[in-house]
Coordinates of all heavy atoms in Angstrom, one line a residue:
S1 N 0.8 -1.2 0.0 CA 0.0 0.0 0.0 C 0.8 1.3 0.0 O 0.3 2.4 0.0 CB -0.9 0.0 1.2 OG -1.7 -1.1 1.3
N2 N 2.2 1.1 0.0 CA 3.1 2.3 0.1 C 3.5 2.7 -1.3 O 4.4 2.0 -1.9 CB 4.3 1.9 1.0 CG 5.2 3.1 1.2 OD1 5.0 4.2 0.6 ND2 6.2 2.9 1.9
P3 N 3.1 3.8 -1.8 CA 3.5 4.2 -3.2 C 4.9 4.6 -3.3 O 5.5 4.7 -4.3 CB 2.5 5.3 -3.5 CG 2.1 5.9 -2.2 CD 2.1 4.7 -1.2
W4 N 5.6 4.8 -2.1 CA 7.0 5.2 -2.1 C 7.9 4.1 -1.5 O 8.9 4.5 -0.9 CB 7.1 6.5 -1.3 CG 6.2 7.6 -1.8 CD1 6.3 8.3 -3.0 CD2 5.0 8.0 -1.2 NE1 5.2 9.1 -3.1 CE2 4.4 9.0 -2.0 CE3 4.3 7.7 0.0 CZ2 3.2 9.7 -1.7 CZ3 3.1 8.4 0.3 CH2 2.6 9.3 -0.5
F5 N 7.5 2.9 -1.6 CA 8.3 1.8 -1.1 C 9.6 1.8 -1.8 O 9.7 1.5 -3.0 CB 7.5 0.5 -1.3 CG 8.1 -0.7 -0.6 CD1 8.3 -0.8 0.7 CD2 8.4 -1.8 -1.4 CE1 8.9 -1.9 1.3 CE2 9.0 -3.0 -0.8 CZ 9.2 -3.0 0.6
P6 N 10.7 1.9 -1.0 CA 12.0 2.1 -1.7 C 12.6 0.7 -2.2 O 12.3 -0.3 -1.6 CB 12.9 2.6 -0.5 CG 12.2 2.2 0.7 CD 10.8 2.2 0.4
Q7 N 13.4 0.8 -3.2 CA 13.9 -0.4 -3.9 C 14.8 -1.2 -2.9 O 14.8 -2.4 -2.9 CB 14.7 0.0 -5.1 CG 15.2 -1.2 -5.9 CD 14.1 -2.0 -6.4 OE1 13.1 -1.5 -7.0 NE2 14.2 -3.4 -6.3
V8 N 15.5 -0.5 -2.0 CA 16.4 -1.3 -1.1 C 15.6 -2.1 -0.2 O 16.0 -3.3 0.1 CB 17.3 -0.3 -0.3 CG1 16.4 0.6 0.6 CG2 18.3 -1.0 0.5
L9 N 14.4 -1.7 0.3 CA 13.5 -2.5 1.1 C 12.8 -3.6 0.2 O 12.6 -4.7 0.7 CB 12.5 -1.6 1.8 CG 12.9 -0.8 3.0 CD1 11.7 -0.1 3.6 CD2 13.6 -1.7 4.0
R10 N 12.5 -3.2 -1.0 CA 11.9 -4.2 -1.9 C 12.9 -5.4 -2.1 O 12.4 -6.6 -2.1 CB 11.6 -3.6 -3.2 CG 10.8 -4.6 -4.1 CD 10.3 -3.9 -5.4 NE 9.4 -2.8 -5.1 CZ 8.1 -2.9 -4.8 NH1 7.6 -4.2 -4.9 NH2 7.3 -1.9 -4.5
D11 N 14.1 -5.1 -2.2 CA 15.1 -6.2 -2.4 C 15.2 -7.1 -1.1 O 15.3 -8.3 -1.2 CB 16.5 -5.6 -2.7 CG 16.6 -4.9 -4.0 OD1 15.7 -5.2 -4.9 OD2 17.5 -4.1 -4.2
E12 N 15.1 -6.5 0.1 CA 15.1 -7.2 1.3 C 13.9 -8.1 1.4 O 13.9 -9.2 1.8 CB 15.2 -6.2 2.5 CG 16.5 -5.5 2.6 CD 17.7 -6.4 3.0 OE1 17.4 -7.5 3.6 OE2 18.8 -6.1 2.6
M13 N 12.7 -7.5 1.0 CA 11.5 -8.2 1.1 C 11.5 -9.4 0.2 O 11.1 -10.5 0.6 CB 10.3 -7.2 0.7 CG 8.9 -7.9 0.7 SD 8.6 -8.7 -0.9 CE 8.5 -7.2 -2.0
E14 N 12.0 -9.2 -1.0 CA 12.0 -10.3 -2.0 C 12.9 -11.4 -1.5 O 12.6 -12.6 -1.7 CB 12.5 -9.8 -3.4 CG 11.5 -8.9 -4.1 CD 10.3 -9.6 -4.6 OE1 10.2 -10.9 -4.5 OE2 9.3 -9.0 -5.0
Y15 N 14.0 -11.1 -0.9 CA 14.9 -12.1 -0.3 C 14.2 -12.9 0.7 O 14.3 -14.2 0.7 CB 16.2 -11.4 0.2 CG 17.2 -12.4 0.8 CD1 18.1 -13.1 0.0 CD2 17.1 -12.7 2.2 CE1 19.0 -14.0 0.6 CE2 18.0 -13.7 2.7 CZ 18.9 -14.3 1.9 OH 19.8 -15.2 2.5
D16 N 13.6 -12.3 1.7 CA 12.9 -13.0 2.7 C 11.7 -13.8 2.2 O 11.4 -14.9 2.7 CB 12.3 -12.0 3.8 CG 13.4 -11.4 4.7 OD1 14.5 -12.0 4.7 OD2 13.2 -10.3 5.2
K17 N 11.1 -13.3 1.2 CA 9.9 -14.0 0.5 C 10.4 -15.3 -0.1 O 9.7 -16.4 0.0 CB 9.3 -13.1 -0.5 CG 8.1 -13.7 -1.2 CD 7.6 -12.7 -2.2 CE 6.4 -13.2 -3.0 NZ 5.9 -12.2 -4.0
R18 N 11.6 -15.3 -0.7 CA 12.1 -16.6 -1.3 C 12.7 -17.5 -0.2 O 12.6 -18.7 -0.4 CB 13.2 -16.2 -2.3 CG 12.7 -15.5 -3.5 CD 13.8 -15.4 -4.6 NE 15.0 -14.8 -4.1 CZ 15.3 -13.5 -4.2 NH1 14.4 -12.7 -4.7 NH2 16.4 -13.0 -3.7
R19 N 13.4 -17.0 0.7 CA 14.3 -17.8 1.6 C 13.7 -18.1 3.0 O 14.0 -19.1 3.6 CB 15.6 -17.1 1.8 CG 16.4 -16.9 0.5 CD 16.8 -18.1 -0.1 NE 17.6 -17.9 -1.3 CZ 18.0 -18.9 -2.2 NH1 17.7 -20.1 -1.9 NH2 18.7 -18.6 -3.2
D20 N 12.8 -17.3 3.5 CA 12.3 -17.4 4.8 C 10.8 -17.0 4.9 O 10.5 -15.9 5.3 CB 13.1 -16.6 5.8 CG 12.9 -17.0 7.2 OD1 11.8 -17.6 7.5 OD2 13.7 -16.7 8.1
P21 N 9.9 -17.9 4.4 CA 8.5 -17.5 4.4 C 7.9 -17.1 5.7 O 7.0 -16.2 5.7 CB 7.8 -18.8 3.9 CG 8.9 -19.6 3.1 CD 10.2 -19.2 3.9
D22 N 8.3 -17.7 6.8 CA 7.8 -17.3 8.1 C 8.2 -15.9 8.4 O 7.3 -15.1 8.9 CB 8.4 -18.2 9.2 CG 7.6 -19.5 9.4 OD1 6.6 -19.7 8.7 OD2 8.1 -20.4 10.1
K23 N 9.4 -15.5 8.2 CA 9.9 -14.1 8.4 C 9.1 -13.2 7.5 O 8.7 -12.1 7.9 CB 11.4 -14.0 8.2 CG 11.9 -12.7 8.5 CD 13.5 -12.6 8.2 CE 14.0 -11.2 8.5 NZ 15.5 -11.2 8.2
Y24 N 9.0 -13.6 6.2 CA 8.3 -12.7 5.3 C 6.8 -12.4 5.8 O 6.4 -11.3 5.7 CB 8.2 -13.4 3.9 CG 7.3 -12.8 2.9 CD1 7.6 -11.6 2.3 CD2 6.1 -13.4 2.6 CE1 6.8 -11.0 1.4 CE2 5.2 -12.8 1.7 CZ 5.5 -11.6 1.1 OH 4.7 -11.0 0.2
Q25 N 6.1 -13.5 6.2 CA 4.8 -13.3 6.6 C 4.7 -12.4 7.8 O 3.8 -11.5 7.9 CB 4.1 -14.6 6.9 CG 3.8 -15.4 5.7 CD 2.7 -14.8 4.8 OE1 1.7 -14.3 5.3 NE2 3.0 -14.7 3.5
H26 N 5.6 -12.6 8.8 CA 5.5 -11.7 10.0 C 6.0 -10.3 9.8 O 5.3 -9.3 10.1 CB 6.3 -12.4 11.1 CG 6.4 -11.5 12.3 ND1 5.4 -11.1 13.1 CD2 7.5 -11.0 13.0 CE1 5.8 -10.4 14.1 NE2 7.1 -10.3 14.0
V27 N 7.2 -10.2 9.2 CA 7.9 -8.9 9.1 C 7.2 -8.0 8.0 O 7.0 -6.8 8.2 CB 9.4 -9.1 8.8 CG1 10.0 -7.8 8.5 CG2 10.1 -9.7 10.0
W28 N 6.9 -8.6 6.9 CA 6.4 -7.8 5.8 C 4.9 -7.8 5.6 O 4.3 -6.9 5.0 CB 7.1 -8.3 4.5 CG 8.6 -8.2 4.5 CD1 9.5 -9.2 4.8 CD2 9.4 -7.0 4.3 NE1 10.7 -8.7 4.8 CE2 10.7 -7.4 4.5 CE3 9.1 -5.7 4.1 CZ2 11.7 -6.5 4.4 CZ3 10.1 -4.8 3.9 CH2 11.4 -5.2 4.1
Q29 N 4.2 -8.9 6.0 CA 2.8 -9.0 5.8 C 2.0 -8.8 7.1 O 0.8 -8.7 7.1 CB 2.4 -10.4 5.2 CG 2.9 -10.6 3.8 CD 2.1 -9.8 2.8 OE1 1.1 -9.1 3.2 NE2 2.5 -9.8 1.6
G30 N 2.7 -8.6 8.2 CA 2.0 -8.3 9.5 C 1.3 -9.5 10.1 O 0.4 -9.3 10.9
S31 N 1.7 -10.7 9.8 CA 1.1 -11.9 10.4 C 1.7 -12.1 11.8 O 2.7 -11.7 12.1 CB 1.3 -13.2 9.5 OG 0.8 -13.0 8.2
Y32 N 0.9 -12.9 12.6 CA 1.4 -13.2 13.9 C 2.6 -14.1 13.9 O 2.8 -14.9 12.9 CB 0.3 -13.9 14.7 CG -0.9 -13.1 15.0 CD1 -2.2 -13.5 14.6 CD2 -0.8 -11.9 15.7 CE1 -3.3 -12.7 14.9 CE2 -1.9 -11.1 16.0 CZ -3.2 -11.5 15.6 OH -4.3 -10.8 15.9
L33 N 3.5 -14.0 14.9 CA 4.6 -14.9 15.0 C 4.1 -16.3 15.2 O 3.1 -16.6 15.8 CB 5.5 -14.5 16.2 CG 6.5 -13.3 16.0 CD1 7.1 -12.9 17.4 CD2 7.6 -13.8 15.1
T34 N 4.9 -17.3 14.7 CA 4.5 -18.7 14.9 C 5.6 -19.4 15.7 O 6.8 -18.9 15.7 CB 4.3 -19.4 13.6 OG1 5.5 -19.3 12.8 CG2 3.2 -18.8 12.8
N35 N 5.3 -20.5 16.3 CA 6.2 -21.3 17.0 C 6.9 -22.2 16.0 O 6.3 -23.2 15.6 CB 5.6 -22.2 18.1 CG 6.6 -23.0 18.9 OD1 7.7 -23.3 18.5 ND2 6.2 -23.3 20.2
S36 N 8.0 -21.8 15.5 CA 8.7 -22.6 14.4 C 9.1 -24.0 14.8 O 9.1 -24.8 13.9 CB 9.9 -21.8 13.9 OG 10.8 -21.6 14.9
S37 N 9.3 -24.2 16.1 CA 9.7 -25.6 16.5 C 8.5 -26.5 16.3 O 8.7 -27.7 16.1 CB 10.1 -25.6 17.9 OG 11.3 -24.8 18.1
A38 N 7.3 -26.0 16.5 CA 6.1 -26.9 16.4 C 5.6 -27.0 15.0 O 4.7 -27.8 14.7 CB 5.0 -26.4 17.4
R39 N 6.1 -26.2 14.1 CA 5.5 -26.1 12.8 C 5.8 -27.4 12.0 O 6.9 -27.9 12.0 CB 6.1 -24.9 12.0 CG 5.5 -24.6 10.7 CD 5.7 -23.1 10.3 NE 7.1 -22.7 10.5 CZ 8.1 -22.9 9.7 NH1 7.8 -23.6 8.6 NH2 9.3 -22.5 10.0
V40 N 4.8 -27.9 11.3 CA 5.0 -29.1 10.5 C 5.9 -29.0 9.3 O 6.8 -29.8 9.0 CB 3.6 -29.7 10.1 CG1 3.8 -30.9 9.2 CG2 2.8 -30.0 11.3
F41 N 5.6 -27.9 8.5 CA 6.3 -27.7 7.2 C 7.4 -26.6 7.3 O 7.1 -25.5 7.7 CB 5.3 -27.4 6.1 CG 4.4 -28.5 5.8 CD1 3.1 -28.5 6.2 CD2 4.8 -29.6 5.1 CE1 2.2 -29.5 5.9 CE2 3.9 -30.7 4.8 CZ 2.6 -30.6 5.2
K42 N 8.6 -27.0 6.9 CA 9.7 -26.0 6.8 C 10.3 -26.2 5.4 O 11.2 -25.4 5.1 CB 10.7 -26.2 7.9 CG 10.2 -25.8 9.2 CD 11.4 -25.8 10.2 CE 11.0 -25.2 11.6 NZ 12.1 -25.1 12.5
N43 N 9.8 -27.1 4.6 CA 10.4 -27.4 3.3 C 9.7 -26.7 2.2 O 9.4 -27.2 1.1 CB 10.3 -28.9 3.1 CG 8.9 -29.5 3.2 OD1 8.1 -29.0 4.0 ND2 8.5 -30.4 2.4
W44 N 9.4 -25.4 2.4 CA 8.7 -24.7 1.3 C 9.2 -23.2 1.2 O 9.7 -22.6 2.1 CB 7.2 -24.7 1.7 CG 6.8 -24.0 2.9 CD1 7.0 -24.4 4.2 CD2 6.2 -22.7 3.0 NE1 6.5 -23.5 5.1 CE2 6.0 -22.4 4.4 CE3 5.7 -21.7 2.1 CZ2 5.4 -21.2 4.9 CZ3 5.1 -20.6 2.6 CH2 5.0 -20.3 4.0
T45 N 8.9 -22.7 0.0 CA 9.3 -21.3 -0.3 C 8.1 -20.7 -1.2 O 7.3 -21.4 -1.7 CB 10.6 -21.2 -1.1 OG1 10.5 -22.0 -2.3 CG2 11.8 -21.7 -0.3
I46 N 8.2 -19.4 -1.3 CA 7.2 -18.7 -2.1 C 7.9 -18.1 -3.3 O 9.0 -17.5 -3.2 CB 6.5 -17.5 -1.3 CG1 5.9 -18.0 0.0 CG2 5.5 -16.8 -2.2 CD1 5.5 -16.9 0.9
D47 N 7.4 -18.4 -4.5 CA 8.1 -17.9 -5.7 C 7.0 -17.9 -6.9 O 6.1 -18.7 -6.9 CB 9.3 -18.8 -6.1 CG 10.3 -18.0 -6.9 OD1 10.0 -16.8 -7.3 OD2 11.3 -18.6 -7.2

């Protein structure tokens, strides 16, 4: 929703989106933190 979202942050966001979906959802999408130790799936990425 930010029309002035800077490229340097976009690069960081894209990196987290590919490599760390949990971090992407919490840090960039505002989702609640999850207990990663109890999480069933860790073998996935968004692309």
Side-chain angles (χ1 to χ4, degrees):
S1 304
N2 184 359
W4 306 289
F5 187 57
Q7 186 61 45
V8 64
L9 283 185
R10 187 174 297 279
D11 293 340
E12 294 291 334
M13 178 275 294
E14 291 290 353
Y15 180 84
D16 288 340
K17 184 178 177 180
R18 292 191 304 270
R19 301 295 183 183
D20 194 338
D22 278 355
K23 182 179 179 182
Y24 168 76
Q25 287 296 315
H26 173 60
V27 172
W28 300 99
Q29 293 288 354
S31 299
Y32 293 123
L33 279 171
T34 59
N35 185 335
S36 59
S37 298
R39 187 161 45 84
V40 173
F41 293 104
K42 290 190 174 182
N43 55 326
W44 63 285
T45 57
I46 304 168
D47 205 358

